[in-house]
Amino acid sequence: MEKKMAAEEEKTLIEILEESTPIDIIKYINYVQAPECGVIATFSSTTRDTFEGKTVVELRYEAYVPMAVRCIKSICSLARSTWNLNSIAVAHCLGPVPVGETSIFIALSSIHRVDALDACKFLIDEIKATVPIWKKEVYANAEIWKENKEFLERRADFVNVDQDSGRNCCGQKVQAEVFHQKSFCALKVRVDDEKATETSNGELAHAEIE
């Protein structure tokens, strides 16, 4: 088991990039490329210029990096247990991401396309739903913290869980823990207009996570 986990880590690259560090797409494609694999599947998320009729200037990302890396590693491990994958690379930018630039890039390789394509969709959906990375949309005349659609759907799932069922599993426990961490996004939204309060609440949030 330990050898298997070590082998998986050797073939998994996760990078949360510091502000103003662009994603090198070719680097991650080269990382997952292997002669025994017939498929490389990729996903690239870029900043678009409008949202619901509003002009978008840029997106800004913040993260609790140690937790984010651990969560992405867990997601990659779960993907490997479900699909036959060779190598996985995940990169996410922090700080401002202007229109047209890439904020997150995923690349993975496998022998067959079904594994690669299904796993790629799973990875981005789970990252959006559970990893403590927060997004602010900056418009021409306003800015707002936004929760991902996948996170809102996952939160609704937790609300609808039958508390009397008595069923639980490691996956649910991990998701519940991450859900608790990411709920700080709501706190950040509420205090965004109160700059002094925002700083103290942000420090409190990180202290509780640690």
Side-chain angles (χ1 to χ4, degrees):
M1 179 62 73
E2 291 182 0
K3 289 183 178 180
K4 180 180 179 182
M5 292 178 63
E8 288 182 359
E9 287 196 6
E10 288 178 1
K11 293 186 176 182
T12 302
L13 176 63
I14 298 167
E15 294 187 339
I16 308 295
L17 303 175
E18 295 181 358
E19 187 170 328
S20 302
T21 304
I23 291 178
D24 184 349
I25 291 175
I26 300 302
K27 167 187 172 180
Y28 300 109
I29 291 177
N30 288 340
Y31 177 84
V32 302
Q33 194 165 24
E36 67 270 24
C37 294
V39 178
I40 295 177
T42 66
F43 173 86
S44 178
S45 179
T46 58
T47 303
R48 60 180 184 271
D49 61 1
T50 57
F51 177 76
E52 294 183 348
K54 292 173 286 191
T55 300
V56 175
V57 177
E58 65 184 14
L59 301 179
R60 295 177 188 166
Y61 291 91
E62 294 183 7
Y64 178 49
V65 175
M67 176 68 79
V69 171
R70 288 198 298 270
C71 289
I72 296 173
K73 281 184 178 179
S74 295
I75 293 168
C76 291
S77 294
L78 183 55
R80 288 186 180 279
S81 69
T82 308
W83 295 280
N84 183 15
L85 304 175
N86 185 60
S87 296
I88 303 174
V90 179
H92 202 303
C93 285
L94 298 182
V97 181
V99 171
E101 296 296 317
T102 301
S103 57
I104 181 170
F105 184 76
I106 297 171
L108 52 84
S109 56
S110 66
I111 297 174
H112 302 295
R113 68 178 182 275
V114 172
D115 289 309
L117 293 172
D118 288 351
C120 194
K121 182 180 186 305
F122 169 80
L123 285 173
I124 185 58
D125 287 348
E126 287 299 304
I127 289 171
K128 292 283 189 181
T130 65
V131 176
I133 297 175
W134 302 283
K135 176 178 69 176
K136 176 185 279 188
E137 290 189 353
V138 180
Y139 309 118
N141 58 355
E143 56 186 43
I144 184 173
W145 290 99
K146 294 292 291 292
E147 292 175 324
N148 293 314
K149 172 179 67 70
E150 293 84 358
F151 168 66
L152 295 174
E153 291 172 350
R154 185 65 55 82
R155 181 169 64 181
D157 290 341
F158 280 112
V159 171
N160 294 327
V161 166
D162 182 3
Q163 300 296 332
D164 296 326
S165 66
R167 291 181 299 174
N168 196 2
C169 67
C170 294
Q172 289 175 327
K173 184 176 182 180
V174 170
Q175 289 174 355
E177 180 183 352
V178 176
F179 165 76
H180 173 71
Q181 313 301 346
K182 190 156 185 179
S183 66
F184 285 120
C185 183
L187 174 65
K188 197 179 287 187
V189 171
R190 286 199 298 271
V191 301
D192 190 51
D193 292 330
E194 301 173 19
K195 299 300 182 183
T197 307
E198 180 179 12
T199 302
S200 62
N201 280 341
E203 292 171 351
L204 174 62
H206 280 213
E208 290 181 355
I209 290 173
E210 293 172 353

